[in-house]
Amino acid sequence: MNKLTTVSQMKSYFFLLSGILILIGFLISCEEKNQTEYQPFDPSKPIEVTEFYPDSGGIATPIIIEGHNFGSDTTGLKVYFQDSLGVKHQAGLVGSNGQKIYAMVPKLTFLRKMKIIVERMQKDGKTISGVAEDLFLYKTQTTVSTVVGKPETDNDGMPTVGGDFSAATLSAPHAIVLDDEDNIFIAERGFNYQSGSSQGAKNEKGEGVSSNLVIADTKGQTVTVIAYGTSSVNAPTFSGEDGNESVYMPEDAGLYYYQLPKSLSYAPRRRSLITGSDTKDVIEGNWKYSFVANEVDHMIYSVMWKGQLVRFNPSTRNVELLLRKVLPDIPNARGDIGSNTYCIFSPLEPNMLYFCMEDYNIIGRVDVSQLGDKDIETYKGEYYAGKSIVDGPVNGRGWEDGLLESARFYAPKQICFTADGKLYIADTGNHCIRVIDTTVPKDKATVNTAIGLPQSPGFRDGGPELAKFYFPTGVAVNADGSIVYVADHKNKVIRKLSIE
């Protein structure tokens, strides 16, 4: 256990102990108060909320709300935290002495500024409420810890070597995916960024290779290199299709990809896509940066470098062109027409494909179940997030949180979803992880920095005020969609985000 982890745990224990002591003190004071005075709620008078403390915190933070006419009886008494969209989230109510309410902060969203509302429901169904003048600042508690690898920010000679988690090393973790048993599949490779060059992958001897295929078993705490020196590979996907559970990992160029069947202990099989006269030009002279499996039709989807949205049947391997070009009709940040594009399907809308265009600094989306009446040559889906949508891929890039249309990214790469519809983005050039709550309407949704110090590369585990990344390129979630893992490329490690 490192020092930062120990300090973080000590702080957690301190706050938990403090909350318990406050709760005990509050309950004792309420008991003493009840023995001498009962304060009934007066329906002829308003509820007043005058003060609350603390003024910020995360889930389960103890909070005391002061005011008048709360009533000592908690029957019908409720406390809500209301976000900027007007959605009310009920707090955990512990007790009331008539002038003070003790409650626990509920799990909220990334919309940080909350109104505190105290309500009483009368027997006749009438509701009387009071609202605090000040806003409560909700803080999502996110911490990062290192799972696999040894951080070496300045050592480009680090080899990729298997073994247990304490001894294994990685040379160039790029993109990742987890299967239904929480094994992490790691595609290692080097490449150029908009903001600089990465180091390349190394074999066990420290010799440069194009790519390595690696599995990290999170249960057994072991790392296995299943192939050294493959052709350059990109972002993989896991398909849970019954009887054909497999990881699919695209080779960068051409027709080839790797299938790693679970039934064969994930032994890699190099396979080729099959094209016809109408799809031959889609693959030739083009690149595949991401595969993603659709749980509805069990097809594998990809947005090619030149912008074509395609899919293939993993059994027949036949390629189908869905849209000719989802990219903007302008040069990218490098002056070319094309983009490294990473894809993921929403767990809440299984046919809604989100695609992150690294070279345009834009995130888009398209419902693949609604393409029947769309013009394959002109329809592009919709552009979802990024200042570059309006200002262009160069002027619009950078770092800025805020509304979707105002947020700035810098060479964002792999994206993933947690089960509750939050989209996590490896914002590579900004050295941080960003997040969007896609359940919020598009005109009100925001981009927030989940963890990492924007534009400040380095290595450090810990909370939002401490944690640092160095070109994070990959993100993926575990089987139940609750834990986010990060491929921290230049630090040569896989890291885990604990989100509360």
Side-chain angles (χ1 to χ4, degrees), residues 160 186 188 209 211-215 224-230 258 268:
T160 296
I186 307 166
E188 289 202 312
V209 294
S211 278
N212 299 317
L213 312 186
V214 183
I215 300 178
T224 303
V225 182
I226 57 176
Y228 282 113
T230 66
Y258 287 93

Side-chain angles (χ1 to χ4, degrees), residues 161-403:
V161 179
D164 61 41
F165 276 11
S166 63
T169 56
L170 302 173
S171 60
H174 159 45
I176 55 178
V177 74
L178 282 80
D179 68 1
D180 54 358
E181 295 183 352
D182 289 351
N183 295 299
I184 307 172
F185 294 81
I186 307 166
E188 289 202 312
R189 63 160 296 179
F191 44 84
N192 294 325
Y193 300 108
Q194 293 178 24
S195 52
S197 298
S198 78
Q199 76 277 337
K202 309 290 182 182
N203 62 18
E204 74 275 26
K205 299 177 182 179
E207 300 167 337
V209 294
S210 295
S211 278
N212 299 317
L213 312 186
V214 183
I215 300 178
D217 179 350
T218 61
K219 295 178 181 177
Q221 300 281 290
T222 58
V223 174
T224 303
V225 182
I226 57 176
Y228 282 113
T230 66
S231 297
S232 294
V233 291
N234 286 312
T237 188
F238 173 74
S239 173
E241 181 182 6
D242 189 28
N244 194 30
E245 295 90 346
S246 297
V247 170
Y248 296 90
M249 192 174 294
E251 284 193 5
D252 193 35
L255 295 169
Y256 288 95
Y257 65 94
Y258 287 93
Q259 180 184 5
L260 287 65
K262 185 176 182 179
S263 61
L264 299 177
S265 300
Y266 294 116
R269 303 167 62 191
R270 191 168 184 251
R271 312 201 71 182
S272 176
L273 297 170
I274 298 174
T275 58
S277 57
D278 59 337
T279 54
K280 184 178 181 181
D281 64 332
V282 172
I283 302 298
E284 292 181 350
N286 214 343
W287 297 268
K288 318 179 286 296
Y289 276 83
S290 172
F291 278 171
V292 60
N294 183 299
E295 65 177 28
V296 178
D297 61 19
H298 302 298
M299 303 279 271
I300 309 299
Y301 289 71
S302 183
V303 173
M304 307 292 291
W305 190 84
K306 293 182 179 180
Q308 301 97 332
L309 172 59
V310 300
R311 68 181 176 188
F312 70 91
N313 185 315
S315 297
T316 66
R317 294 176 282 134
N318 289 311
V319 176
E320 178 184 358
L321 176 65
L322 300 179
L323 295 176
R324 179 66 62 185
K325 186 181 177 184
V326 299
L327 305 182
D329 295 318
I330 58 173
N332 63 28
R334 304 180 190 184
D336 301 318
I337 301 292
S339 181
N340 306 341
T341 303
Y342 300 82
C343 305
I344 198 71
F345 279 104
S346 166
L348 305 181
E349 301 175 272
N351 282 310
M352 184 64 77
L353 178 73
Y354 286 74
F355 51 94
C356 180
M357 297 174 281
E358 174 191 350
D359 297 275
Y360 285 94
N361 301 298
I362 291 173
I363 296 172
R365 63 182 181 180
V366 58
D367 188 336
V368 299
S369 68
Q370 301 296 318
L371 298 180
D373 61 347
K374 300 297 191 296
D375 186 340
I376 190 174
E377 300 294 332
T378 60
Y379 183 65
K380 297 177 179 294
E382 68 168 336
Y383 297 142
Y384 181 69
K387 185 73 169 177
S388 294
I389 296 171
V390 176
D391 289 359
V394 176
N395 293 333
R397 73 184 177 190
W399 176 84
E400 184 176 345
D401 281 345
L403 292 171

Side-chain angles (χ1 to χ4, degrees), residues 370-442:
Q370 301 296 318
L371 298 180
D373 61 347
K374 300 297 191 296
D375 186 340
I376 190 174
E377 300 294 332
T378 60
Y379 183 65
K380 297 177 179 294
E382 68 168 336
Y383 297 142
Y384 181 69
K387 185 73 169 177
S388 294
I389 296 171
V390 176
D391 289 359
V394 176
N395 293 333
R397 73 184 177 190
W399 176 84
E400 184 176 345
D401 281 345
L403 292 171
L404 298 183
E405 62 185 12
S406 302
R408 297 175 186 266
F409 304 97
Y410 195 172
K413 287 187 178 291
Q414 196 175 13
I415 54 179
C416 71
F417 268 105
T418 48
D420 57 358
K422 292 185 176 64
L423 180 69
Y424 283 81
I425 305 136
D427 195 356
T428 304
N430 282 318
H431 310 288
C432 60
I433 307 301
R434 316 285 288 281
V435 64
I436 302 170
D437 186 348
T438 61
T439 65
V440 176
K442 183 180 175 182

Side-chain angles (χ1 to χ4, degrees), residues 15-23 53-65 81 92 94 101-105 136:
F15 288 125
L16 177 60
L17 180 60
S18 298
I20 292 172
L21 292 175
I22 292 171
L23 174 58
Y53 48 90
D55 61 1
S56 63
I59 182 174
T61 298
I63 184 170
I64 294 176
I65 303 167
F81 286 68
V94 178
I101 293 174
Y102 186 89
M104 306 294 283
V105 176
F136 179 86

